[in-house]
Amino acid sequence: IFLYHERRWAPDELRALQEDRFSMPAGECHGAVVFADALLSALHGVTHLYCFTDSDATARAFTTAGSGSPQLNVQMQWLLRRHPGVQLLGIHQAGVRNEAADRLSRTIAGRDKVLAEVKAAGLTSVEIQPPADDVAAMLSLAMASPQRAG
């Protein structure tokens, strides 16, 4: 089974990223946090979760359960409150090794190609969903936080 989650940035969220009010590392972390939450909610009883990411800041935030960035901290604390018994480990993956994840997340055509590859490999793809209201509230709080402490 190939579990995935897809969510496009809403126009106001994309604008905040483009205007650097919401940092790119926070945006990268957001995808990982939301997917981790959806995965942990779908797979009951998980005690350890490895997060492979091409974002060094996200890998460090997962490993240390925090960051020097309040925007990342809001997201990590939200995840840890929702899944307090899970140990997290972030593993940095070079971007060149992240092709399928990038295709899945960037365009609908890319997503369709990845899902076709999954099907061709004999796997079943299942999209998992986080609770939308909780994610929206967390994202709003993270976006309202400063990018850096101090």
Side-chain angles (χ1 to χ4, degrees):
I1 296 177
F2 176 78
L3 301 175
Y4 75 101
H5 169 70
E6 177 188 11
R7 180 184 175 275
R8 305 278 173 228
W9 291 107
D12 60 321
E13 298 164 354
L14 187 56
R15 200 168 24 263
L17 281 163
Q18 292 168 337
E19 295 172 357
D20 198 31
R21 289 180 285 117
F22 192 54
S23 73
M24 185 53 69
E28 293 277 351
C29 187
H30 182 70
V33 164
V34 170
F35 185 70
D37 176 61
L39 189 62
L40 292 168
S41 296
L43 302 174
H44 304 285
V46 171
T47 59
H48 297 73
L49 179 71
Y50 293 90
C51 173
F52 292 89
T53 174
D54 64 0
S55 165
D56 190 50
T58 299
R60 281 184 275 132
F62 266 72
T63 297
T64 63
S67 168
S69 166
Q71 291 182 342
L72 273 71
N73 276 333
V74 165
Q75 297 178 82
M76 291 306 304
Q77 293 307 309
W78 177 84
L79 180 62
L80 293 168
R81 277 192 306 277
R82 292 177 55 78
H83 305 282
V86 177
Q87 291 187 19
L88 304 172
L89 178 65
I91 300 172
H92 183 258
Q93 184 82 333
V96 296
R97 296 187 67 201
N98 201 34
E99 183 183 334
D102 284 345
R103 281 189 287 134
L104 187 64
S105 68
R106 290 185 178 161
T107 66
I108 292 171
R111 178 209 57 205
D112 292 346
K113 184 175 180 184
V114 169
L115 295 179
E117 291 168 358
V118 167
K119 185 175 182 179
L123 300 172
T124 301
S125 59
V126 176
E127 184 172 8
I128 53 178
Q129 295 291 334
D133 291 344
D134 289 349
V135 171
M138 177 270 289
L139 181 58
S140 179
L141 183 59
M143 291 177 82
S145 299
Q147 289 186 20
R148 293 165 193 81

